[in-house]
Amino acid sequence: MRSYENVNAVITEAKLYLFQIHATKKFSFGTWTSRQHIFVAIKAGDETGYGENIISVNQPDILLDDWCNWIKELVGQTVGNAIEHLRSHLDTWQDRMTEMVEMCLIDLWGKLEKKNAMELLELPGTEPVCGVYVILSDDLNFIESKVQYAILKEKTRFIKVKLFGREELDCQVINTVRKYLSRSEAYLIGDVNCGYRPEGTQKDLDRIATSLKHLYEVGLDACEDPAFLQRGEWMRLQNLVQPLVLIPDYPMRPARKSREEIIGGMGEVYNIHPGTSASIIDAIALAEKIRSLGARLMIGDDSLVGPGCTIWQQLAIGLSAVWVEATEKEIESDFYYDAVLKMATDSSENPINASRTGHGFGIYLDEEKLQSVADKVIIIR
């Protein structure tokens, strides 16, 4: 990564845009009915950098006081000093806030210096990356309609479904996809959110393996976080369930800590998870660690709808990830698209390409339109 110490433009203002996203998402641990997204815009000189993260779910009255106070510490500093200040507070500020603001500052850095963010981050990958079409439901009719939509939009190379730790239901979900798409047509990923052994519960590893083998037999190719596992258990379970691919996710959070803790053999693909990595700089270092273990990496999602999507898509390309889940959402991203003046990626295409001719992450937004639809706007000077 190139040095940011001499990026001397002074930050004059930051804006926080709060958006309430009302959508039902079902998981093994419960149901989301709303998400509270923050877009941040930080200004220095004549340029603005953008970032995004979720501040909470199912908490429409969430307070932004802490985030505002932390960001206020950056106003008046140079961009280079602000990045350093942010990184010095990774252990005291909230992970979601630091990740969002860091991506924003890197976008701003690139725009100020007329450099592409991938160049600044020294990421060599240029090959397009496939986006994953994600279906979060236990309603088989809904799943069927979404599979048909994915076929219509030619987004079937990778499909991800939520699984629930209930073998009969999970097999029904998988069978619903496989009714339309064979293994040669779609690589099917299931995310169980530890449903086959939630944290704090007991279940024999062999019993978990038996369930996962059954899921593979009916058509599942890869399984993310099948159960709450210790590192050694990840290795044992992967050996027991091959050729099903395991994907560790929860053990990868945040990036700076997981880099020191993960070991080889926990799975064949490791998930770098947006929203909970705490830092894209550390996520890049984590990617290096994953490769050193002989594994592949993917970029996940945290139901992002705005600037975070294109940023993580570009990182997926730069890191040569096998796929990226962070893509703009049907309906949920409409308000964001209405405000986009220019963007470096187009996730309606699959695979997703990114031009390196733009500056920063190449995000340019009409902030008047954002402000007109935001549920709350806070200006920090």
Side-chain angles (χ1 to χ4, degrees):
M1 177 175 171
R2 295 191 180 183
S3 173
Y4 48 77
E5 294 177 357
N6 296 321
V7 187
N8 292 321
V10 174
I11 294 171
T12 55
E13 179 184 279
K15 282 185 181 178
L16 292 179
Y17 298 90
L18 173 65
F19 298 97
Q20 302 281 354
I21 307 296
H22 298 284
T24 299
K25 310 285 185 182
K26 294 189 176 182
F27 305 86
S28 61
F29 56 80
T31 299
W32 293 357
T33 56
S34 71
R35 312 190 303 275
Q36 290 69 52
H37 288 244
I38 295 289
F39 292 4
V40 64
I42 297 179
K43 302 180 187 298
D46 295 326
E47 300 291 351
T48 302
Y50 296 99
E52 176 196 6
N53 215 333
I54 295 176
I55 189 172
S56 62
V57 296
N58 297 342
Q59 297 183 62
D61 298 324
I62 190 75
L63 298 177
L64 305 179
D65 296 5
D66 285 344
W67 285 36
C68 291
N69 290 333
W70 293 327
I71 292 173
K72 190 172 182 62
E73 294 185 27
L74 306 179
V75 177
Q77 296 199 48
T78 67
V79 173
N81 286 345
I83 295 172
E84 188 60 36
H85 187 78
L86 184 74
R87 293 195 57 73
S88 71
H89 287 80
L90 290 176
D91 289 319
T92 55
W93 292 355
Q94 287 181 18
D95 290 347
R96 292 183 175 277
M97 179 270 183
T98 57
E99 180 181 312
M100 175 188 72
V101 173
E102 188 189 86
M103 63 173 61
C104 177
L105 292 173
I106 291 171
D107 184 36
L108 181 56
W109 170 22
K111 289 171 178 172
L112 289 165
E113 300 219 333
K114 311 301 182 191
K115 301 288 186 183
N116 185 267
M118 297 301 99
E119 181 182 346
L120 296 176
L121 295 169
E122 297 182 326
L123 298 183
T126 58
E127 292 298 313
V129 63
C130 279
V132 178
Y133 190 76
V134 181
I135 305 171
L136 306 181
S137 180
D138 59 356
D139 182 328
L140 301 182
N141 291 327
F142 178 83
I143 294 168
E144 187 168 6
S145 70
K146 288 300 181 181
V147 172
Q148 292 170 335
Y149 180 85
I151 293 170
L152 179 66
K153 296 296 183 179
E154 298 182 345
K155 293 188 174 186
T156 58
R157 180 66 190 88
F158 293 94
I159 289 182
K160 175 176 173 177
V161 291
K162 277 297 173 184
L163 301 179
F164 301 91
R166 305 197 303 273
E167 190 175 325
E168 182 178 354
L169 172 60
D170 291 347
C171 287
Q172 290 174 333
V173 170
I174 295 164
N175 281 325
T176 302
V177 178
R178 289 300 182 208
K179 184 166 76 171
Y180 293 94
L181 295 165
S182 67
R183 273 198 156 107
S184 64
E185 294 171 309
Y187 188 90
L188 184 57
I189 307 150
D191 185 358
V192 197
N193 297 107
C194 299
Y196 282 96
R197 188 173 75 189
E199 185 174 6
T201 65
Q202 300 294 321
K203 191 174 186 180
D204 185 77
L205 209 61
D206 288 330
R207 287 181 59 201
I208 298 170
T210 297
S211 294
L212 296 185
K213 288 176 183 177
H214 191 193
L215 300 187
Y216 176 79
E217 289 168 1
V218 297
L220 190 66
D221 294 304
C223 188
E224 184 177 338
D225 285 339
F228 187 80
L229 303 165
Q230 302 301 320
R231 287 178 298 178
E233 290 182 311
W234 274 101
M235 295 177 65
R236 282 184 55 208
L237 187 60
Q238 177 63 90
N239 288 330
L240 287 170
V241 300
Q242 287 180 345
L244 180 70
V245 170
L246 295 188
I247 304 173
D249 171 9
Y250 288 174
M252 310 298 291
R253 313 176 186 186
R256 68 185 182 280
K257 294 182 179 178
S258 65
R259 185 186 178 203
E260 304 302 322
E261 296 171 354
I262 60 171
I263 57 177
M266 293 172 65
E268 294 182 23
V269 177
Y270 289 59
N271 185 5
I272 295 179
H273 196 285
T276 58
S277 288
S279 160
I280 60 175
I281 294 172
D282 290 334
I284 291 166
L286 175 58
E288 294 174 359
K289 175 63 177 289
I290 291 168
R291 287 205 177 88
S292 75
L293 298 176
R296 296 175 293 165
L297 66 99
M298 57 163 282
I299 299 297
D301 190 18
D302 201 29
S303 296
L304 299 171
V305 297
C309 295
T310 185
I311 290 171
W312 282 103
Q313 289 160 30
Q314 292 172 69
L315 291 169
I317 292 168
L319 291 167
S320 299
V322 289
W323 65 73
V324 58
E325 293 175 11
T327 59
E328 293 82 5
K329 311 298 184 286
E330 303 156 36
I331 302 174
E332 295 173 28
S333 292
D334 285 354
F335 78 94
Y336 167 66
Y337 277 129
D338 286 344
V340 171
L341 300 173
K342 189 176 179 182
M343 194 162 60
T345 59
D346 180 359
S347 66
S348 68
E349 298 179 351
N350 209 18
I352 302 166
N353 207 340
S355 168
R356 291 202 173 207
T357 59
H359 302 146
F361 289 111
I363 307 164
Y364 295 89
L365 303 177
D366 184 331
E367 291 195 43
E368 288 187 4
K369 287 188 176 179
L370 280 183
Q371 188 160 329
S372 71
V373 295
D375 292 278
K376 182 181 289 187
V377 180
I378 300 173
I379 302 174
I380 304 169
R381 294 190 175 103

